[in-house]
Amino acid sequence: VLMGAERRSLVLSEEEKRNTAFHEAGHALVAQTMSHADPLHKVTIIPRGMALGVTVTLPVDDKHTYTKDHLEDQLAIMMGGRVAEEMFLNHITTGAGNDLEQATALSRRMVCEYGMSELGPLSYRKNQDQVFLGRDLAAQREYSEDTAINIDKEVKKILTRAYERAREALDSQRKTLIRIAEALLEREVLGATEVNLLIEGKELPALI
């Protein structure tokens, strides 16, 4: 339910499978590296929904609020797939498009709604109280053009830092990422226990 229905009818080329394996390995390894992130649950390169692969983290307890550290770790995880493609395959693909969209939306909420940037404890949400059809057209921006520019700069700063943190995490564990990617190509699905074994340099149990 969490990961979406499998689409085994979707046949991927070997190049696409390899790219997906490194992409998801990047997400998974960064997830296990970040101290404030939710624990890794499962990673797969079986196409599900519109995604060619999926990495799922799950909170230990129900959460209703999130710290800035947690959100920054989540952004680093989102960047992990794109960074892995660049570092290990020497290219970038459209596969990170959804990751970048979600990361940009989250970082903008951090700046505009949660006051988690150098702009301070202010809310820059648009006024969308109107409940008629033209709501979006009627919404008024309640800040200046200079503030809008500064918001964009803060969003970019947060995303760039997330990218750098993901790159630092993967650069320090290059061999481990390759092991995870190769295990994904062989098994297609890895649980958190299996990923942790690979991080520790141990062999996975034989497939039955």
Side-chain angles (χ1 to χ4, degrees):
V1 173
L2 284 171
M3 303 176 81
E6 291 185 0
R7 295 175 64 202
R8 289 189 178 272
S9 60
L10 181 62
V11 180
L12 300 182
S13 67
E14 289 303 312
E15 181 181 356
E16 283 183 315
K17 283 187 70 174
R18 179 173 171 79
N19 192 86
T20 303
F22 275 87
H23 183 102
E24 297 304 328
H27 285 311
L29 185 52
V30 174
Q32 291 301 74
T33 303
M34 298 293 131
S35 58
H36 297 97
D38 292 330
L40 178 69
H41 173 60
K42 189 170 289 187
V43 54
T44 178
I45 59 169
I46 299 171
R48 291 173 178 268
M50 297 302 293
L52 300 184
V54 182
T55 300
V56 175
T57 60
L58 290 177
V60 177
D61 303 306
D62 290 340
K63 291 183 178 180
H64 304 288
T65 60
Y66 299 91
T67 66
K68 182 181 179 183
D69 288 335
H70 173 83
L71 297 182
E72 288 176 340
D73 282 3
Q74 289 299 116
L75 289 173
I77 294 169
M78 293 176 189
M79 292 293 182
R82 168 65 171 265
V83 172
E85 290 182 18
E86 287 188 88
M87 290 178 63
F88 294 87
L89 302 176
N90 299 314
H91 63 220
I92 56 176
T93 71
T94 57
N98 187 55
D99 297 329
L100 298 178
E101 181 180 354
Q102 290 186 39
T104 302
L106 175 55
S107 61
R108 188 165 290 276
R109 288 199 300 273
M110 290 173 68
V111 174
C112 294
E113 297 181 33
Y114 309 146
M116 294 180 176
S117 77
E118 293 182 10
L119 296 184
L122 298 171
S123 174
Y124 295 103
R125 294 184 67 177
K126 291 182 179 180
N127 177 17
Q128 293 184 337
D129 293 335
Q130 297 89 349
V131 289
F132 49 85
L133 188 62
R135 179 179 65 182
D136 290 339
L137 295 175
Q140 299 296 314
R141 192 175 70 191
E142 298 178 346
Y143 47 83
S144 68
E145 186 63 29
D146 285 344
T147 298
I149 292 171
N150 287 330
I151 287 172
D152 288 341
K153 288 180 178 178
E154 287 297 310
V155 170
K156 183 176 181 180
K157 187 186 301 182
I158 291 172
L159 291 174
T160 300
R161 177 56 185 153
Y163 175 90
E164 291 171 349
R165 292 182 70 212
R167 189 173 185 87
E168 290 167 5
L170 298 184
D171 193 42
S172 65
Q173 301 191 67
R174 286 175 169 267
K175 292 182 180 179
T176 300
L177 187 134
I178 293 172
R179 282 165 56 83
I180 295 172
E182 290 176 345
L184 280 170
L185 287 169
E186 178 186 359
R187 300 177 181 235
E188 294 189 319
V189 180
L190 296 174
T193 300
E194 293 166 311
V195 172
N196 286 333
L197 286 173
L198 293 169
I199 291 173
E200 294 167 5
K202 299 176 181 178
E203 295 297 323
L204 297 183
L207 289 170
I208 300 175

